[in-house]
Amino acid sequence: LFYSLMVAYIAASGSLISDFAGGVSGLSVPQGIGATLFSLFFGLLIFLGFGAVDWFNRFLMAGLILSYVCLI
């Protein structure tokens, strides 16, 4: 079950990354490249350890709080 969830999450994130990269650069980026970049980025983040994961989580939470404050 967890394997299928991970594959679906990586495939969807790879699609988002390839669409974003294609929009920014104007080039056609395959979804497989986006999925590979997604996997490499988060794999590296986990490889670096708890400190890197904690820093990234704080960064995301700050963005979430800032978005909430801007909406209010």
Side-chain angles (χ1 to χ4, degrees), residues 13-66:
S13 298
S15 176
L16 288 172
I17 289 173
S18 65
D19 289 344
F20 177 74
V24 169
S25 68
L27 301 174
S28 176
V29 179
Q31 290 183 359
I33 299 295
T36 303
L37 291 174
F38 176 81
S39 300
L40 286 174
F41 175 73
F42 282 101
L44 178 66
L45 190 67
I46 292 170
F47 177 75
L48 292 175
F50 289 117
V53 173
D54 182 46
W55 175 84
F56 190 68
N57 189 34
R58 289 180 189 196
F59 175 73
L60 290 178
M61 286 302 297
L64 183 68
I65 292 168
L66 182 65

